[in-house]
């Protein structure tokens, strides 16, 4: 009887907290089993049954509270990369306004997106969405004071930094754009797991198979957010607000 | 007389080859500055009784035109050339942002909102023209 209750409590606790085993009910379970083996030669009295029920109840409550606390620590924010967010390492790219590096990102909240100008379908849609995101976040103090949007071209052979600037300023004159050599690009894309590879389109031209997620980088260069396809302005702006609040609360 | 027969053949051969196929809601997305490719979108409706096979897309103001499909693998995207588009009898195929588009390459002059362009495609072997208007996309379809 006691074993069954203990097992039940442990199972419930485990399923509530997910992957990580929690120390409290586990130790409690061991103590309970030890107690049970000492008492095994005596017939369980009703007061014994009651105390087992009480212990089981306490264990269940502890499990529930632990689960609630853990949930509060890592809330269900869409796009949040937590715990262990990737970290941007040192990089340097060319833009129409000079070099853009990890220093450009320090102290700012950056929405970062990879693409190329010979991408007439997805890239303009994403930049138009980011323009709407910026408009929706006009009232958000974090974005208004410290927000920026950076478009990085993974096609340095066709995209010059001047042409890139004209391309993004069509959407919003505040947007930044940069590109670099293959090695310079990899310094940024590597830690993010961003893939970019040339694919011939059969007419002597090529397209670039690339990661189309939008990343949110915090002032300490932690990549706290990632928004996959399809890109939706309402989701991304709500995600920016929630993730930036979360990031400030978790320095 | 021979000319009339030729005209008659041309007209009716074409009508038979691509009967009931229409090109609706054709629009070109105004591109940002630069001479990169431009995307066009449309709906092909086949109200006929035969499968319509479309290939060899062309545009009067463009060096060449391709049909591309945007393929998503996890969070990656890629454009794939589609040599042919088959539209079954009674069906419609929608070319829309994030799905399929016509890739208009190397325009002879800047493509700006409000301009009209003549495009064409070989529909079951018959060259079929249709018109497209350039518009600025303010609210993209994700
Ligand atoms: Cu394309």
């Amino acid at each position: 009887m006691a074993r069954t209750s203990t097992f039940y409590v442990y199972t419930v606790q485990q399923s509530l907290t997910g992957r990580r085993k929690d120390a409290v009910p586990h130790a409690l379970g061991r103590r309970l089993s030890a107690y049970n083996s000492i008492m095994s030669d005596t017939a369980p009295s009703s007061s014994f049954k009651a105390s087992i029920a009480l212990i089981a109840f306490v264990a269940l409550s502890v499990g529930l509270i632990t689960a609630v606390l853990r949930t509060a620590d890592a809330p269900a924010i869409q796009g949040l990369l937590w715990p262990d967010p990737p970290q941007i390492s040192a990089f340097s790219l060319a833009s129409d306004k000079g070099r853009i590096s990890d220093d450009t990102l320090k102290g700012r909240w950056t929405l970062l997106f990879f693409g190329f100008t010979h991408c007439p379908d997805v890239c303009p849609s994403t930049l138009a969405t980011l323009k709407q995101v910026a408009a929706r976040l006009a009232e958000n103090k974090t974005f208004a004071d410290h927000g920026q949007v950076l478009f990085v071209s993974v096609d340095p052979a066709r995209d010059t930094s001047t042409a890139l600037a004209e391309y993004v300023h069509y959407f919003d004159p505040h947007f930044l754009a940069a590109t670099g050599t293959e090695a310079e690009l990899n310094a940024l894309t590597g830690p993010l797991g961003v893939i970019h590879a040339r694919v011939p389109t059969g007419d002597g031209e090529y397209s670039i198979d690339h990661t189309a997620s939008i990343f949110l980088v915090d002032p300490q260069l932690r990549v706290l957010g990632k928004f996959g396809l399809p890109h939706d302005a309402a989701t991304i702006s709500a995600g920016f607000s929630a993730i930036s609040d979360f990031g400030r609360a978790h320095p | 007389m021979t000319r009339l027969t030729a005209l008659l053949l041309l007209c009716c051969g074409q009508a038979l080859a691509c009967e009931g196929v229409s090109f609706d809601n054709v629009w070109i997305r105004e591109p940002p500055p630069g001479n990169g490719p431009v995307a066009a979108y449309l709906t092909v409706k086949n109200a006929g009784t035969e499968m319509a096979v479309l290939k060899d897309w062309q545009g009067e103001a463009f060096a060449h035109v391709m049909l591309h499909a945007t393929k998503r693998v996890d969070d990656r995207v890629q454009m794939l050339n589609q040599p042919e588009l088959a539209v079954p009898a009674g069906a419609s195929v929608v070319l829309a942002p994030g799905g399929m588009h016509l890739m208009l390459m190397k325009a002879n002059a800047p493509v700006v909102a409000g301009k009209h362009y003549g495009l064409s495609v070989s529909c079951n072997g018959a060259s079929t023209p249709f018109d497209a208007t350039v518009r600025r996309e303010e609210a993209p379809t994700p």
Side-chain angles (χ1 to χ4, degrees), chain A residues 91-113:
Chain A
F91 73 91
S92 175
L93 299 171
S95 86
D96 64 316
K97 296 183 185 78
R99 302 302 287 182
I100 282 191
S101 70
D102 42 315
D103 272 338
T104 316
L105 271 53
K106 276 178 196 153
R108 312 275 291 179
W109 288 87
T110 308
L111 286 165
L112 172 63
F113 170 65

Side-chain angles (χ1 to χ4, degrees), chain A residues 116-122 124-125 128-129 131-132 166-167 170-171 195 199 201 203 205 207-213 226 229-232, chain B residues 29-33 36-39 41 64 66 68 70 72 75-79 81 97-99 101 103 105-106 136-140 142:
Chain A
F116 58 110
T117 68
H118 283 59
C119 156
D121 186 41
V122 172
S125 287
T129 302
K131 178 188 175 179
Q132 294 177 336
E166 280 182 27
Y167 185 86
Y170 169 82
F171 298 94
I195 287 160
V199 183
T201 45
D203 58 334
E205 300 275 346
S207 170
I208 296 183
D209 176 355
H210 68 286
T211 302
S213 294
K226 180 178 171 178
L229 291 163
H231 296 138
D232 165 66
Chain B
R29 190 209 307 254
E30 186 190 64
V38 179
Y41 305 97
H64 65 280
M66 286 178 289
H68 277 178
T70 294
R72 259 162 66 177
D75 63 342
R76 283 171 22 231
V77 288
Q78 187 183 327
M79 292 191 298
N81 195 24
H101 59 272
M103 185 94 165
M105 311 287 290
K106 298 190 175 74
R136 186 168 181 146
E137 188 191 37
E138 289 295 343

